[in-house]
Amino acid sequence: QVQLVESGGGLVQPGGSLRLSCAASGSIGSIFAMGWYRQAPGKQRELVARIVSGGNTYYVGSVKGRFAISRDNAKNTVYLQMNSLVPEDTAVYYCNVEAGLRVINYWGQGTQVTVSS
């Protein structure tokens, strides 16, 4: 059974940092891409960052220069380093993995990130 387990969320002051982790386990197959989405109250879910198998990355404009996505292929783990956090970053963050020949999407359980003074 495939599982994506997220960790690292919490409460942080503006200007602070957090690192989110997402570890995939089970018969997930060959991973094509890993990424992070977020959804804030009253807003649509948005793609925050994504890294493909070749190493290329994507970031939504609002987090460029502040967030960094990385992966550990041996551990099937993806990370999101979040620096210079602002209240607008407050959301539930969801890990996403695209894997398998038919490109199945797997999702983590979500982790709350709250940026508040």
Side-chain angles (χ1 to χ4, degrees), residues 2 23 33 48 58 90 104:
V2 174
V48 178
Y58 163 85
T90 296
I104 298 171

Side-chain angles (χ1 to χ4, degrees), residues 67-108:
F67 290 11
I69 188 169
S70 61
R71 66 188 179 189
D72 185 333
N73 290 335
K75 297 181 179 180
N76 281 346
T77 299
V78 62
Y79 305 93
L80 186 67
Q81 179 66 47
M82 304 185 293
N83 300 321
S84 302
L85 285 161
V86 295
E88 290 73 21
D89 295 319
T90 296
V92 177
Y93 285 70
Y94 297 93
C95 175
N96 170 258
V97 175
E98 303 164 43
L101 290 175
R102 62 180 291 176
V103 191
I104 298 171
N105 279 276
Y106 300 94
W107 294 90

Side-chain angles (χ1 to χ4, degrees), residues 6-80:
E6 300 181 32
S7 62
L11 175 65
V12 66
Q13 300 291 107
S17 299
L18 287 172
R19 189 181 74 156
L20 306 183
S21 299
C22 175
S25 63
S27 300
I28 197 168
S30 180
I31 295 176
F32 172 71
M34 309 180 83
W36 293 92
Y37 291 74
R38 68 185 180 188
Q39 187 163 23
K43 297 183 179 179
Q44 294 190 138
R45 185 190 67 178
E46 68 173 348
L47 175 63
V48 178
R50 183 172 180 263
I51 184 167
V52 299
S53 59
N56 290 335
T57 58
Y58 163 85
Y59 299 93
V60 68
S62 60
V63 309
K64 287 182 179 178
R66 300 191 296 119
F67 290 11
I69 188 169
S70 61
R71 66 188 179 189
D72 185 333
N73 290 335
K75 297 181 179 180
N76 281 346
T77 299
V78 62
Y79 305 93
L80 186 67

